[in-house]
């Protein structure tokens, strides 16, 4: 039983294996937050509450002269706007009389024996054999017939609580939902730090850690995408929390559109954390009888540092967010045409790349951008999803057959949500592009964005995608998205523009859903100019995501480090590219590029024909080596052993049964008379013995973890090493 309710039906505790979350409906029906942390017995925590008459913090009408009760100082589950709590709110409604307010009070609760699902939005899933329980608490707005249902799906073994909110209009007139976030958690005492994952194109998710103070620390996107610039995941921690010690709380939003997340201390030093859809692009008309659902926020807590928290997120996202047959299967080793040829290819090029890929033992040729319309640069043809038979020397089907004849699978790039002005589609339907009436639209990469809130647009795209996917043997699609959205304005007659941003996102998800349902065997790799939509929501539709357009192995160390805080390595697509690297000009040994790219979705992004024979031979060996270990990269526990900025980077994969481990070390810096690298290992069984592949030494896991491995060689800058540890019996 993971959900406990007190006999009076007003106190709730959600227990996972190691965590507890408690809240209650107080005497005024306000949902008050009590606790989120280490697992505790279910006991009444009311004695820990502290009430004081705090000047300029008003009191609700029903508290009469009780001046010590104020919503402005109360720890709450889902604070409303405009009713005496001046802090960040989770919900706000606009009424026909011009007022804006939301004051929800407890009405009832129920427990469901399955995980909560959200119509049209991604959400963690469970199974009949291993169900998750959901607590649903219903509240009613004091001055109207609007109800709020707060759902808490408890994934016990994974230490995860998934929250969402639904607003239902049971009244007789329309209201506008001006804000409906996904979660709020109030922390009564203590100092905290917030770790966030900002970045930019080609440098995504580089963590920053800062103290939570009285100014609001807000992460956000207004780009219509989760974005390169800020990831919709953040964690709160104690100032002394490290990888392996201390408390931390994760907040990860399963949403790929504009979002906010914030942490701020209030006047009394209490910390409020919220996360959800960005209210700046949101105003939703709720007609009588209608309901609105906020996306899911995935919460987790660890008392043992970031590593434990990351493992909890890796498990929940890989096993309960990703769907489809590819999640737990070896993914094909791909050779992608993008950095090999960009737009400059013909059938001969593709077949040459294919034959070279087959020779080194790769599994799939991926034809990237440039195969459709008359797209020989990024200035045209998006929307015209018809193959360029002249460039391809025939149909896609014939090309795909030719690739298959060489023993390879075939993958294809698409960018469905975009439209070029130079396209037949735009000439026929300029109104299908997002643009504010009377204003010229903002171009980015010379392209506009299709209005995905429109059914006719989605039907057209589904029609084209399904014709392409059923017209040729295509096992994989790289689904790209190469600009931020600017004008959230729909030309659809009667469109309510405050709803366009979210309706646009729902439209994108609907298209993904239709494609995945119609082509269940297809492997979709998500992409947005690299990692601009690397979020939990997208993992519902695609089990892997192109991590960054930056393929420089040294930059990738930091990008993949940041990505690993929330997202499993099975989802991280990484490729080996040529040197000097196309994004940074840096030259890094092939072996190091390969080691960094060996994640759950590995491949190459170069013209194998332009390499020297020894390099091709090396690649053939590397692919074999990868295949022999791919389960470890896909399903193994990932341990960050160093931080960006250190002399070397080190990380480990440990198999589920802890029989095998693989350590990678990359030298970031080099110096004269350097000391060797000494890395303490993690994740081994303390009492088991392990043999080191590099030195042959055998030690207990306890010794390897306490004393570490000293590498016997001094490495040059950008050189690297892989060391394997195998469990052995000691006589
Ligand atoms: C951006 C992607 O991230 C690249 O890998 C490539 O597919 C290009 N788009 C193609 O336009």
């Amino acid at each position: 039983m993971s959900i406990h309710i007190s006999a009076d039906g007003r106190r709730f505790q959600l227990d996972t294996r190691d965590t507890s979350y408690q809240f209650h409906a107080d005497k005024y029906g306000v949902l008050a937050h009590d606790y989120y942390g280490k697992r505790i017995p279910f006991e009444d925590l009311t004695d820990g509450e502290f009430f004081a008459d705090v000047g300029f913090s008003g009191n609700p009408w029903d508290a009469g002269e009780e001046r010590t009760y104020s919503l402005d100082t109360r720890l709450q589950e889902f604070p409303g706007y405009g009713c005496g709590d001046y802090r960040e709110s989770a919900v706000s409604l606009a009424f026909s009389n011009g007022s804006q307010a939301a004051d929800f009070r407890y009405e009832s609760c129920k427990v469901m024996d399955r995980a909560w699902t959200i119509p049209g939005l991604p959400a963690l899933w469970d199974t009949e054999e291993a169900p998750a329980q959901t607590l649903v608490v219903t509240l009613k707005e004091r001055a109207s017939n609007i109800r709020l249902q707060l759902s808490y799906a408890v994934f016990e073994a994974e230490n995860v609580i998934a929250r969402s909110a639904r607003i239902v209009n049971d009244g007789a007139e329309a209201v506008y939902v001006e804000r409906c976030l996904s979660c709020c958690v109030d922390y009564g005492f203590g100092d905290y730090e917030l770790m966030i994952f900002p970045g930019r194109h080609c440098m995504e998710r580089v963590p920053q850690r800062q103290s939570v103070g009285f100014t609001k620390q807000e992460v956000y996107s207004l780009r219509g995408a989760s974005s390169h610039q800020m990831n919709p995941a953040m964690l709160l921690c104690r100032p002394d929390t490290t990888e392996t010690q201390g408390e931390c709380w994760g907040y990860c939003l399963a949403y790929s559109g504009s979002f906010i997340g914030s942490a701020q201390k209030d006047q009394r030093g209490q910390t409020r954390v919220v996360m959800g859809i960005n209210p700046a692009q949101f105003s939703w008309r709720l007609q009588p009888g209608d309901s609105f659902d906020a996306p899911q926020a995935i919460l987790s807590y660890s008392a043992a540092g970031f590593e434990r928290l990351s493992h909890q997120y890796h498990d929940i996202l890989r096993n309960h967010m990703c769907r489809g047959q590819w999640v737990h299967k070896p993914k094909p080793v791909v050779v992608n045409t993008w950095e090999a040829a960009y737009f400059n290819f013909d059938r001969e090029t593709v077949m040459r790349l294919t034959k070279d890929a087959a020779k080194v033992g790769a599994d799939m040729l991926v034809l990237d951008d440039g195969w459709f319309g008359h797209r020989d640069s990024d200035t045209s043809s998006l929307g015209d999803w018809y193959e360029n038979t002249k460039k391809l020397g025939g149909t896609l089907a014939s090309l795909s057959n030719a690739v298959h004849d060489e023993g390879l699978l075939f993958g294809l790039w698409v960018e469905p949500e975009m439209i070029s002005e130079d396209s037949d589609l735009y000439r026929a339907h300029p109104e299908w592009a997002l643009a504010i009436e009377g204003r010229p639209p903002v171009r980015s990469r010379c392209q506009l964005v299709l209005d995905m809130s429109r059914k006719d647009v989605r039907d057209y795209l589904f029609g084209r995608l399904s014709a392409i996917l059923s017209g040729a043997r295509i096992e994989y699609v790289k689904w790209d998205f190469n600009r931020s959205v600017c004008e959230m304005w729909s030309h659809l007659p009667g469109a309510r523009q405050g709803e366009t941003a979210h309706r646009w996102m729902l439209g994108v998800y609907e298209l993904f859903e239709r494609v995945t349902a119609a082509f269940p065997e297809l492997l979709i790799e998500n992409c947005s100019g690299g990692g601009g939509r690397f979020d939990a929501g997208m993992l519902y539709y695609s089990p892997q995501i192109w991590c960054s357009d930056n393929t420089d192995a040294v930059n990738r160390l930091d990008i993949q480090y940041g990505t690993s805080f929330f997202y499993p390595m099975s989802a991280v697509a990484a490729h080996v590219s040529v040197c000097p690297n196309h994004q940074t000009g840096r030259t890094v040994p092939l072996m190091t590029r390969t080691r960094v790219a060996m994640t759950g979705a590995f491949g190459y992004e170069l013209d194998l024909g332009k390499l020297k024979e020894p390099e091709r031979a090396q690649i053939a060996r590397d692919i074999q080596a990868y295949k022999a270990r791919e389960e470890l990269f896909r399903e193994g526990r990932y341990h960050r052993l160093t931080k960006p900025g250190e002399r070397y980077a080190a990380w480990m994969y440990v198999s589920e049964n802890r029989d095998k481990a693989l350590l990678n070390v990359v030298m970031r810096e080099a110096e004269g008379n350097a000391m060797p690298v000494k890395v303490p290992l993690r994740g081994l069984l303390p009492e088991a013995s392990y043999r080191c592949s590099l030195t042959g030494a055998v030690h207990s896991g306890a010794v390897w973890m306490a004393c570490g491995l000293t590498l016997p060689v001094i490495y040059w800058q950008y050189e690297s090493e892989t060391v394997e540890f195998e469990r052995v019996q000691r006589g």
Side-chain angles (χ1 to χ4, degrees), residues 658-715:
R658 304 213 252 172
D659 275 0
K660 284 190 173 93
L662 185 147
L663 163 74
N664 277 322
V665 177
V666 174
M667 296 308 298
R668 277 209 187 85
E669 304 292 341
E671 55 189 38
N673 280 331
M675 284 293 282
V677 165
K678 186 180 173 83
V679 211
L681 309 182
R682 286 215 294 276
L684 303 177
L685 287 170
E687 65 283 5
S689 297
Y690 296 88
R691 174 174 291 117
C692 167
S693 65
L694 193 66
T695 62
V698 176
H699 286 297
S700 61
V703 166
W704 285 123
M705 292 192 287
C707 307
L709 167 74
T710 305
L711 295 182
V713 177
I714 303 295
Y715 296 87

Side-chain angles (χ1 to χ4, degrees), residues 308-438:
R308 175 76 57 80
L309 192 76
S310 293
H311 291 167
Q312 289 168 184
Y313 277 102
H314 295 174
D315 288 349
I316 198 78
L317 292 178
R318 188 174 49 220
N319 301 328
H320 295 278
M321 183 60 86
C322 294
R323 298 179 298 171
Q325 58 158 10
W326 283 101
V327 183
H328 297 290
K329 258 178 53 173
K331 311 234 181 70
V333 174
V334 307
V335 170
N336 179 297
T337 59
W338 182 241
E339 285 199 27
Y342 295 100
F343 294 104
N344 311 316
F345 59 83
D346 56 15
R347 190 183 191 98
E348 206 189 310
T349 325
V350 178
M351 288 318 295
R352 188 173 56 73
L353 293 172
T354 302
K355 287 180 184 150
D356 287 341
K359 277 191 218 142
V360 294
D363 302 308
M364 175 182 278
L365 191 282
V366 177
L367 181 56
D368 211 284
D369 199 352
W371 58 267
F372 54 95
H374 59 276
R375 187 153 164 104
D376 291 322
S377 74
D378 58 16
T379 57
S380 83
S381 303
L382 293 168
D384 292 347
W385 299 108
Y386 296 90
E387 70 257 60
N388 181 343
T389 48
K390 205 161 144 228
K391 190 167 176 179
L392 299 187
T395 60
L396 254 186
S398 76
L399 180 64
S400 152
N401 285 339
V403 170
H404 281 90
D405 288 346
E406 297 297 331
L408 260 68
L409 304 170
F410 183 66
L412 195 67
W413 178 95
V414 291
E415 193 179 2
E417 298 136 84
M418 296 293 166
I419 183 163
S420 304
E421 287 156 276
D422 179 8
S423 69
D424 292 340
L425 187 69
Y426 189 75
R427 284 181 279 274
H429 288 292
E431 79 285 6
W432 280 11
L434 292 173
I436 301 174
E437 208 167 48

Side-chain angles (χ1 to χ4, degrees), residues 338 368-369 413 445 478 480 482 527 529-530 546 549 605:
W338 182 241
D368 211 284
D369 199 352
W413 178 95
R445 207 193 189 206
K478 178 177 173 187
D480 211 342
N482 280 306
C527 175
W546 182 227
D549 268 354
E605 182 112 4

Side-chain angles (χ1 to χ4, degrees), residues 12 108 240 584 658:
F12 312 93
S108 64
D240 56 357
T584 63
R658 304 213 252 172

Side-chain angles (χ1 to χ4, degrees), residues 219-271:
V219 299
Y220 76 95
S221 161
L222 278 171
R223 295 168 181 272
S226 46
S227 89
H228 303 83
Q229 286 72 12
M230 193 62 79
N231 196 261
M234 58 186 196
L235 59 87
L236 195 76
C237 61
R238 300 283 186 188
D240 56 357
T241 301
T242 65
E243 276 290 333
T244 51
Q245 293 178 41
E247 290 193 294
C248 48
W249 294 259
Y251 293 86
C252 175
L253 194 66
Y255 191 61
S256 313
S258 301
F259 71 93
I260 57 161
S262 73
Q264 185 178 17
K265 278 191 173 180
D266 70 9
Q267 55 179 328
R268 317 194 71 214
Q270 306 180 121
T271 296

Side-chain angles (χ1 to χ4, degrees), residues 439-450:
R439 286 178 195 270
V442 171
R443 293 193 187 101
S444 183
R445 207 193 189 206
C446 302
Q447 62 199 53
L448 304 182
V449 184
L450 278 170

Side-chain angles (χ1 to χ4, degrees), residues 235 276 382 423 465 472 499-500 519 577 600 619 703:
L235 59 87
L382 293 168
S423 69
L465 290 173
E499 298 177 11
T500 301
F519 300 92
S577 62
I619 287 176
V703 166

